[in-house]
Amino acid sequence: MTVKTHYEAVIGIECHVELKTRSKMFCACQNEFGGEPNTKVCPVCLALPGALPVANAAAIRHMIRAGLAFGATIPAFSKFDRKNYFYPDMPKDYQISQYDMPLTLGGSVRYWLEDGTLKECKLTRIHLEEDTGKSMHGGGEDGRIAGSSFSLIDFNRAGVPLMECVGEPDLRSAQEAVGYLEALKRTFVQLGVSDVKMEEGSLRCDANVSIRPRGCTELGTKSEIKNMNSFRSVLRAVESEIERQISVLESGGRIVQETRGWDEGQGVTHSMRSKEEAHDYRYFPDPDLVPIEIDASLIEELKKTIPVLPPERFAKYREYGMDAKQATQLVDNSRLADYFDASVAAGAVPQASMNFVLGDLSRLANESGTAVQDSAVTPAALAELVALVEAKTINSKIAKELLERMWGGEGSPKAIVEKEGLGQTSDTGEIERLIDEVLGANEKAAAEYKAGKTNILGFLTGAVMKASRGKANPALVNELLRKKLE
Amino acid sequence: MNDLVKRSAADIARDVGSKRISAREVTEAVLARVDEVDDRLGCYLTRLHELARQQAGRVDERIAAGETLPLAGVPLSIKDNMCLAGTRTTAASKILENWIAPYTATAVQRMLDAGAIPIGKSNLDEFAMGSSCENSALGVTRNPYDLQRVPGGSSGGSAAAVAAFEAAIGLGSDTGGSIREPGAFCNVVGFKPTYGRVSRYGLIAFASSLDQIGPLTRTVEDAALAYDAMSGHDPMDSTSIDRRVDPATSSLREDLKGVRVGIVKEFVTAKLGPEIDALYKRAYAELENLGAELVEVSLPTADYGLATYYLIAPAECSSNLARFDGVRYGLRVDGADVGQMYERTRAAGFGPEVKRRILIGTYALSSGYYDAYYVKAQKARTMFAQDFQRAFERCDLIAAPAASSPAFEFDSKSDPYSMYMMDYYTIPMSLAGLPALSVPCGYAGTPALPMGLQLAAPLFEEPKLLGAAHAYERATGHAAKAELAV
């Protein structure tokens, strides 16, 4: 479905991402998905009278690393604030969050579309807060509050550390929205700060969607879309909302600022007007927690822990000449990408190494069940093999055979080549002798070639290669064969 | 009355520790005293006879095994806003009337670990909000010197229990004067340490940035003993200070030679009437007789103390008390939906003073008023701290009234504001987080009732403070000069 050309969609994504820490944000309870309800709870996350929060230092470090990964500004001073409102799944009836001094400000997310186009979406901020418990409503028809006669609350999730990532409205299509989310996910996974599994709730997102006439710089009225459970939902929901807004405007209506819930089954968004009430959260600094002071040395220390990130890798692989699909495939397998990067660092020509890694090596890995990076083929050995091919010392057929032998543990390809004299023959005299042999044995074919059946050349070339036990330089064979047949 | 009950905590610990008497013996004597007088005094909301006996048995076993317990066999009154596992912990509120705490407050645990015997959970103003104990929703406590008068508040139950020999140490909590004022009214020592010295974990929060647990005792030495046992860093409380605590018991002195005592210019005792004026002038002279040099100091912001406190404390409490919502524990009054349940539960569960403060606090934090009220008050607070810093450049300790009058009659302060005024002298020290105490300094009024001298010291100078108070107490012995009414 396409946006009518005279409208432009403007989309901003707000995500909540659960941090992968051993314990919750403000208590020692286990931070782990699943389990019997209300088993990972304690006085603190149940908000019993007298309980007090103690900040999880690992969560703060993860947050700072995430900020650094996106090029955000990390302030020297940050704090926690209370966000006050009443809801049964929020035990204290306030949420410990961050208001005006978040742990990171600004930054941007580089992402790419399916066709490989690199894009960038700015971030407003990322801050740290705690998650709520989970409610289930029963006795009604469809698990919703309306019509239910009782509710059950599981506090296992209450207090899990949460990153709230607010992106600027730089996205212009549902595809961009998904690209952005995928880049966020890749980076968080690469950093080890979150599993980012939408189906487990460790990533939840809302999309703010508005449209405006193309060329206009003012923002249109936005609606907030909630209840999207997968990246595919996001794609469909955002597209559906863009469509809806266009048709509202086209039929002379006005967009109302509201929250709309995505209905996966019906493929439409519904207004959630009944929940709408302007909340005054009465934010104030949490007096139970001390402010966070971040000095330059901590930032330096954390910077060192940041690996090569997916967008950087993707861009580099594209420069090497990989297509978008290949580059994405490799980026998403970070250990394999590390292997590839190591082979390039050992001197391998990227394009050539890539062909082996994504081709023969991956095939061997699938067949054997051993990952490429765990095999006997070290990145250095691969680099050696690639160098031999590039120098035309061996041809690609020999290279393939060598690779199998290296996989089997035979070690350095250079050593094997020298020992067994597998070096490619580029000796013109020798090749001409072989060509004469082959032509002599295949007069019929030779004649057919001269009569115009030019694709017989392949057969003849193959025969010469065979006669040379694969060692002849195939390009040279081809060239000399042509000459002879003229 | 068995004379055992009149003994100081230091004496009891010494004798039980050296096996001259058993913890069981002391305990039985105190329990008998409770049975004898508490129906008339109402100090305890919950009597812990069984637990006391069990604990006494254990203490005797530990002593027999050779352990040294600084508070061996010392009978302890625990203010009912402190969690003790397995006991009803009510904060003197209907909303927690039947709540059994599943865990124990750190400060309480440290007292028990040191050998103290829990005698009962003592009465208080509901959620520690009040200066007379009249705001308790669950019982009436009477002043042991005059049963028609209040014991003071909010730690009235613990103060009265210690005065009436129903305990040797009472745990209280002080936010704006709630240990010092009832201490003065009941002719006992009431001591509030520096903010952060004693863990707040397990203390039902009223105002997080002001609350502190402290002891009420019959002698300054006992207060020092209790302080040494309960103080020190607690990893469960982010606001507890990780700083070495110098034992106070080794700093008790017999004179005040070389000590400069500041008399606050703005605390014009003449305003309190000729009798009380004379009483305090005599108290200051008594300090001089011990060798102290009296110095005039100024706290220019003193008059703004009440306004500052009555913005900060209600603001924090409005958030701290949100958790009492009928969802997870405590009183629940059903409604047609969650909103109605919240409203009905809190309407029924909270008393008028609690509601008043929640309303004030919510207002002070609300959008449009936050900067003018809450932020302004916090800024003013810094000025209080600076005032004291300047004053302490010219003196080592500050002396002041602990309260503006002796204990008043029940129902005599119907106007909330006149009740708030009872904290006038104690609030400035609370706002600055300073250690401060009240020590008996004589009697005033008809009938003559106890009054207290307040002493305050710079941050972390508890040994200096207790040392000086000890000298004053030993030289003057005011507390011994009156008879209890029970």
Side-chain angles (χ1 to χ4, degrees):
Chain A
M1 292 184 163
T2 55
V3 175
K4 289 209 176 90
T5 51
H6 57 281
Y7 284 111
E8 173 180 67
V10 175
I11 304 153
I13 301 269
E14 200 179 284
C15 300
H16 287 87
V17 180
E18 284 181 0
L19 285 173
K20 195 168 79 168
T21 51
R22 278 203 317 258
S23 50
K24 292 186 178 181
M25 187 63 222
F26 294 109
C27 66
C29 287
Q30 204 183 17
N31 174 10
E32 201 186 45
F33 179 75
E36 283 298 297
N38 294 313
T39 49
K40 296 179 193 133
V41 292
C42 73
V44 179
C45 55
L46 281 175
L48 296 191
L52 292 173
V54 179
N56 183 327
I60 293 172
R61 292 167 72 97
H62 276 335
M63 263 286 320
I64 296 174
R65 290 172 71 239
L68 290 171
F70 293 124
T73 307
I74 312 293
F77 182 92
S78 181
K79 62 178 167 70
F80 291 107
D81 301 291
R82 293 190 186 179
K83 180 179 182 181
N84 298 280
Y85 65 100
F86 284 81
Y87 204 71
D89 67 9
M90 215 176 47
K92 297 186 287 295
D93 291 297
Y94 62 84
Q95 180 194 35
I96 301 179
S97 176
Q98 297 195 288
Y99 180 52
D100 57 336
M101 293 185 182
L103 272 166
T104 88
L105 276 165
S108 68
V109 177
R110 282 171 303 150
Y111 64 99
W112 59 95
L113 302 176
E114 254 182 58
D115 66 2
T117 314
L118 284 165
K119 308 219 84 177
E120 192 171 320
C121 178
K122 289 188 294 300
L123 283 170
T124 313
R125 55 186 265 162
I126 311 178
H127 72 249
L128 192 53
E129 58 185 30
E130 53 174 351
D131 210 345
T132 63
K134 260 206 314 230
S135 310
M136 267 163 290
H137 310 290
E141 275 192 12
D142 52 0
R144 306 213 298 158
I145 294 185
S148 69
S149 59
F150 64 89
S151 298
L152 304 170
I153 311 182
D154 177 9
F155 292 103
N156 283 351
R157 195 182 70 181
V160 164
L162 220 52
M163 277 188 292
E164 181 174 319
C165 306
V166 182
E168 293 280 309
D170 289 349
L171 305 165
R172 294 285 174 271
S173 70
Q175 286 74 15
E176 289 190 11
V178 174
Y180 167 84
L181 283 169
E182 285 180 340
L184 269 185
K185 173 171 177 158
R186 289 191 170 102
T187 302
F188 289 144
V189 170
Q190 178 80 17
L191 284 172
V193 308
S194 178
D195 284 338
V196 198
K197 290 188 182 155
M198 274 187 94
E199 65 280 10
E200 280 182 9
S202 52
L203 165 69
R204 307 194 295 264
C205 70
D206 302 328
N208 290 310
V209 180
S210 67
I211 58 175
R212 62 186 177 193
R214 214 168 265 288
C216 178
T217 49
E218 260 179 49
L219 289 171
T221 308
K222 67 178 178 193
S223 59
E224 189 188 13
I225 314 298
K226 286 182 176 295
N227 202 34
M228 299 166 288
N229 296 327
S230 64
F231 288 172
R232 187 171 144 66
S233 285
V234 173
L235 187 73
R236 293 176 64 213
V238 171
E239 278 182 342
S240 155
E241 180 59 14
I242 293 170
E243 286 259 318
R244 185 194 73 87
Q245 290 196 8
I246 290 177
S247 75
V248 164
L249 288 185
E250 291 286 284
S251 58
R254 239 177 19 99
I255 308 292
V256 173
Q257 179 163 332
E258 59 181 351
T259 302
R260 299 182 67 87
W262 170 246
D263 184 326
E264 189 70 42
Q266 293 189 359
V268 290
T269 58
H270 294 294
S271 176
M272 292 165 79
R273 240 178 275 266
S274 58
K275 252 181 98 183
E276 272 327 278
E277 229 178 61
H279 276 295
D280 178 4
Y281 293 116
R282 302 187 299 285
Y283 285 102
F284 70 102
D286 195 324
D288 288 330
L289 292 164
V290 294
I292 308 161
E293 289 178 278
I294 303 157
D295 63 32
S297 64
L298 174 63
I299 296 184
E300 282 317 301
E301 183 200 319
L302 292 174
K303 265 193 187 150
K304 294 194 191 121
T305 68
I306 299 187
V308 178
L309 294 167
E312 284 171 57
R313 267 195 164 142
F314 182 84
K316 198 158 56 142
Y317 294 170
R318 293 280 287 153
E319 273 172 44
Y320 289 162
M322 288 187 217
D323 66 37
K325 197 156 172 237
Q326 290 172 318
T328 302
Q329 186 189 339
L330 197 51
V331 166
D332 280 344
N333 186 339
S334 77
R335 288 189 65 215
L336 187 60
D338 287 340
Y339 176 90
F340 169 73
D341 286 348
S343 74
V344 171
V349 168
Q351 184 69 295
S353 177
M354 177 200 91
N355 287 333
F356 280 120
V357 169
L358 293 178
D360 287 311
L361 281 173
S362 289
R363 176 184 53 82
L364 285 164
N366 281 338
E367 286 167 10
S368 69
T370 305
V372 172
Q373 60 270 23
D374 298 327
S375 73
V377 183
T378 65
L382 177 60
E384 223 176 76
L385 185 68
V386 166
L388 288 169
V389 172
E390 291 296 305
K392 297 203 192 318
T393 309
I394 56 174
N395 62 35
S396 50
K397 186 165 179 297
I398 299 289
K400 260 171 118 87
E401 286 171 19
L402 278 174
L403 195 60
E404 299 253 1
R405 292 170 68 175
M406 285 157 71
W407 186 273
E410 282 193 44
S412 154
K414 209 160 161 202
I416 300 173
V417 164
E418 275 175 21
K419 196 171 114 202
E420 299 181 14
L422 295 174
Q424 180 167 250
T425 307
S426 293
D427 178 341
T428 320
E430 170 68 13
I431 291 176
E432 286 191 348
R433 189 185 62 78
L434 290 170
I435 288 174
D436 289 339
E437 263 184 44
V438 164
L439 288 178
N442 292 281
E443 283 174 10
K444 186 159 171 267
E448 280 179 14
Y449 178 82
K450 290 181 191 163
K453 201 171 175 190
T454 46
N455 51 9
I456 274 259
L457 194 65
F459 164 74
L460 290 168
T461 309
V464 175
M465 291 299 298
K466 197 167 164 202
S468 77
R469 269 168 296 134
K471 288 196 329 183
N473 181 333
L476 203 50
V477 167
N478 202 294
E479 192 195 316
L480 294 172
L481 201 46
R482 269 184 216 269
K483 277 215 190 107
K484 285 248 173 200
L485 288 167
E486 270 162 20
Chain B
M1 162 171 34
N2 184 333
D3 272 350
L4 269 179
V5 307
K6 289 186 170 178
R7 297 176 71 189
S8 71
D11 275 352
I12 293 171
R14 222 174 349 249
D15 282 354
V16 172
S18 60
K19 301 190 200 119
R20 235 166 288 157
I21 46 174
S22 69
R24 268 190 214 84
E25 231 188 297
V26 178
T27 302
E28 288 304 331
V30 173
L31 294 181
R33 176 68 177 163
V34 170
D35 289 341
E36 183 198 338
V37 298
D38 210 59
D39 284 346
R40 278 174 289 160
L41 286 179
C43 299
Y44 291 118
L45 291 173
T46 304
R47 300 182 197 178
L48 298 173
H49 281 31
E50 271 322 296
L51 185 61
R53 290 184 171 115
Q54 273 170 37
Q55 182 75 355
R58 260 182 249 123
V59 166
D60 284 330
E61 280 167 28
R62 290 167 72 188
I63 298 290
E67 258 187 84
T68 308
L69 299 174
L71 297 176
V74 174
L76 181 70
S77 160
I78 300 167
K79 186 175 180 181
D80 208 20
N81 62 354
M82 298 178 203
C83 293
L84 172 58
T87 69
R88 213 170 62 119
T89 301
T90 68
S93 177
K94 287 208 175 308
I95 220 167
L96 285 179
E97 190 171 1
N98 295 305
W99 185 63
I100 312 283
Y103 75 106
T104 300
T106 300
V108 174
Q109 190 61 52
R110 287 181 181 177
M111 298 295 280
L112 299 180
D113 289 344
I117 312 294
I119 302 298
K121 304 303 285 307
S122 58
N123 200 16
L124 61 152
D125 284 295
E126 189 179 357
F127 284 104
M129 300 180 197
S131 306
S132 66
C133 230
E134 290 172 286
N135 290 333
S136 170
L138 300 180
V140 175
T141 304
R142 299 174 180 282
N143 192 309
Y145 286 88
D146 182 337
L147 301 183
Q148 303 315 312
R149 292 176 186 258
V150 302
S154 60
S155 309
S158 274
V162 165
F165 310 115
E166 295 185 70
I169 296 177
L171 286 181
S173 70
D174 190 307
T175 305
S178 288
I179 288 176
R180 292 162 282 163
E181 189 246 36
F185 280 16
C186 291
N187 215 18
V188 297
V189 174
F191 169 44
K192 180 198 89 66
T194 306
Y195 180 83
R197 275 294 203 196
V198 179
S199 170
R200 292 186 299 116
Y201 184 74
L203 169 70
I204 300 179
F206 159 22
S208 315
S209 71
L210 293 158
D211 293 344
Q212 263 301 267
I213 293 177
L216 290 134
T217 54
R218 294 189 288 274
T219 67
V220 172
E221 183 185 14
D222 282 357
L225 201 61
Y227 167 73
D228 285 350
M230 72 175 75
S231 58
H233 178 62
D234 181 12
M236 298 297 283
D237 175 358
S238 302
T239 61
S240 85
I241 293 176
D242 194 358
R243 189 180 160 130
R244 195 189 64 183
V245 181
D246 294 314
T249 38
S250 44
S251 303
L252 304 178
R253 50 188 299 171
E254 303 297 326
D255 64 56
L256 295 175
K257 296 205 190 90
V259 179
R260 297 166 301 161
V261 175
I263 307 297
V264 179
K265 186 170 84 176
E266 289 78 8
F267 289 167
V268 180
T269 48
K271 278 196 230 170
L272 303 175
E275 195 191 355
I276 295 177
D277 184 35
L279 186 100
Y280 281 111
K281 291 208 159 73
R282 183 189 71 185
Y284 301 154
E286 283 167 337
L287 294 170
E288 241 181 343
N289 293 341
L290 282 164
E293 181 198 340
L294 298 186
V295 171
E296 190 186 74
V297 294
S298 177
L299 296 176
T301 43
D303 276 347
Y304 299 103
L306 276 172
T308 307
Y309 176 83
Y310 278 102
L311 281 170
I312 295 173
E316 292 180 3
C317 96
S318 71
S319 180
N320 285 331
L321 268 64
R323 67 189 61 194
F324 301 104
D325 56 11
V327 173
R328 283 149 291 114
Y329 49 77
L331 179 71
R332 180 195 285 191
V333 180
D334 279 311
D337 59 26
V338 156
Q340 202 173 68
M341 183 196 83
Y342 285 153
E343 285 170 16
R344 289 182 177 177
T345 299
R346 291 162 68 85
F350 289 145
E353 184 58 34
V354 171
K355 285 176 180 155
R356 189 172 290 127
R357 296 194 192 194
I358 292 174
L359 287 169
I360 292 173
T362 307
Y363 184 79
L365 289 174
S366 63
S367 162
Y369 296 106
Y370 173 73
D371 287 311
Y373 290 134
Y374 186 75
V375 174
K376 257 292 169 44
Q378 290 287 25
K379 288 180 177 176
R381 196 169 176 175
T382 306
M383 296 179 72
F384 277 95
Q386 288 170 349
D387 270 6
F388 276 108
Q389 258 164 32
R390 254 171 299 214
F392 283 126
E393 281 164 22
R394 299 166 25 80
C395 67
D396 305 301
L397 294 171
I398 283 175
S404 51
S405 73
F408 42 88
E409 286 175 330
F410 287 103
D411 290 324
S412 61
K413 291 197 192 292
S414 51
D415 164 23
Y417 186 71
S418 70
M419 189 68 82
Y420 296 165
M421 280 294 292
M422 292 310 301
D423 293 335
Y424 177 83
Y425 296 106
T426 49
I427 273 175
M429 295 74 176
S430 302
L431 288 171
L434 301 176
L437 56 73
S438 170
V439 60
C441 70
Y443 305 84
T446 314
L449 289 163
M451 295 216 65
L453 173 68
Q454 188 184 190
L455 293 172
L459 295 171
F460 309 119
E461 301 269 23
E462 284 87 356
K464 191 188 282 186
L465 176 66
L466 289 161
H470 177 78
Y472 178 83
E473 173 195 80
R474 296 270 285 184
T476 57
H478 286 296
K481 295 173 186 164
E483 292 283 312
L484 295 175
V486 287

